[in-house]
Amino acid sequence: MIAVLDTGLSNVGSVVNMLRRLGHVASIVTTPEALQDASRVILPGVGHFTAGMERLRETGLDEAVKRAARQNKPVLGICLGMQLLCRHSEEGDCEGLGLLPAHVIRFDPARMARPLPVPHMGWQAVRPVGYHPLLKGMDADARFYFTHSYHVVSDDPSAPFLEAEYGYPFVAAAQKGSVAGVQFHPEKSHAYGKQLLKMFAEQTRAH
Amino acid sequence: MHIRPRFIPVLLLRESGLVKTERFGGGRYIGDAINAVSIFSEKMVDEIVVIDIDATAKRREPNVDLVRDIATEAFMPFAYGGGVTTIDQIERLLRAGAEKVAINSAFHTNPQLISDAAGRFGSQAVQVSLDVRRTKGGKLHVVRHNGARTVEGSPAEHARRAADLGAGEILLQSVDRDGVGQGYDLALVREVTSAVSIPVIALGGAGSTDDLASAIMQGGAAAAAAGSMFVFYGRLRGVLINVPTPAEMTAALERAHRGISPT
């Protein structure tokens, strides 16, 4: 069973729908107990980092996600969910779950050759920069839907496996152990997203 | 092109059926909303906007159940608008599956809603919708309540205020160009895109891929939206959902970039 965590901040329905269309059993989970039965975990998220962390702490899901990672269960963070897996975010100057060796900063238009509007909203191509089972079957011209004002910066060069560019290159996907995060929304990225979620659902525990 | 431009069908709801208006009047029946969303999703459109055009006038609550059904069919982002006036409604709409909510009337009657929503859900979830009418003398007026009332201030001023309040995006619609397929009001688009740094979606007047491209290239918009163009087809304007291919849009953008007039 794929557990899709509902922290009350984002739309879990689309993730569940896409998984169900792919023929996988996905359940919306709100408590640590319900997470025990899951074979893999998705942490979606939209909105403010501190609100996300608060909800995870209030529900005990923060420890539950860490436990799932220790048990080597595949964990996938989506958008804010990916950011929450990191160790810290500039948004609210707040500690994250620390499961990805990375931190989160705001897009800095000053670093861009031509300043672009923030939030970054729209479809972008991604570039593989490392191997990960989630990349299996990914189209060469794959594009994904991004919508975010903050982005991940890796502390470990081996962690990122997808890169995208918005004014400057940024980490679009990163991993550590059985934990991975994608900055974009696979559940809103048509066939490209379906392929990635399909690989997540079929991913074996050890890779 | 550093940001890939988005091309966005706009679907107008009356009850749960889709309609298409002309200059904000009339309302020709197009078909079932969910079916249309499903087809647009199959055609892999970038994103859609769904607006309930009677909600504000009829003081109706946003149709969260419909949004949930739309979300089951839409594997791309969608914005939902029409009668959105409270944080509670926004939360329910976002949880039901909308990526963003489009706020129009409430932006004028309760601007605090914009900043509250942006603070709570993030700017990317908040789209402010501005309807603009041009007088015979050429002056631009922002209007609300489905075009019935005029508001003080230029479109650029309103757009700036929306951005300052925390809106992530502006949906800029020309009332006069709605449904007539004679091109966007590019001067209006330009006026607003030069005033703000948040993305602006141009809407109203698109009749061809060249029109869509001009909103991006000449208008400076981040996205070009259309209603009629994606639901009517052919000389006789039969109802048929149709979407330009990425190749067609790339070609149109290239033509617009080179300043070549459409044939």
Side-chain angles (χ1 to χ4, degrees), chain A residues 6 8-11 14 17-18 21 46-47 114 116-117 119 121-125 143 145 147 166 187-190 192 194, chain B residues 2-4 6 41 44-47 71-78 91 94-95 97 99-100 121 124 168-169 197-199:
Chain A
D6 184 1
L9 288 176
S10 72
N11 139 54
S14 301
N17 288 337
M18 194 176 254
R21 282 285 173 95
V46 172
R114 260 180 71 189
L116 297 175
M121 291 170 86
W123 293 82
Q124 282 288 358
R143 55 194 173 91
Y145 191 79
T147 171
Y166 187 66
E187 76 281 14
K188 292 287 159 172
S189 298
H190 290 302
Y192 309 109
K194 275 192 193 143
Chain B
H2 31 254
I3 326 177
R4 194 187 286 251
R6 290 170 279 151
S41 188
M44 296 187 35
V45 294
D46 290 337
E47 156 171 357
T72 319
E73 293 299 328
F75 293 119
M76 67 273 177
F78 73 95
E91 174 160 3
L94 297 178
R95 282 173 63 68
E99 251 57 52
K100 336 174 188 176
F121 309 111
Q124 72 281 346
E169 218 172 33
S197 57
I198 59 174

Side-chain angles (χ1 to χ4, degrees), chain B residues 102-183:
Chain B
I103 298 173
N104 190 329
S105 295
F107 166 64
H108 302 289
T109 55
N110 178 22
Q112 184 66 31
L113 178 68
I114 309 299
S115 39
D116 289 345
R120 175 121 164 226
F121 309 111
S123 295
Q124 72 281 346
V126 183
Q127 188 185 85
V128 164
S129 178
L130 292 177
D131 296 333
V132 182
R133 179 176 272 132
R134 220 182 245 285
T135 63
K136 285 194 177 61
K139 192 153 187 275
L140 292 169
H141 285 292
V142 173
V143 293
R144 67 177 177 94
H145 239 78
N146 231 359
R149 302 188 200 172
T150 309
V151 188
E152 283 291 305
S154 70
E157 277 161 13
H158 282 278
R160 265 194 291 266
R161 195 159 63 100
D164 288 342
L165 286 167
E169 218 172 33
I170 305 279
L171 176 63
L172 177 67
Q173 180 162 17
S174 162
V175 177
D176 315 292
R177 302 286 180 124
D178 170 47
V180 291
Q182 281 161 21

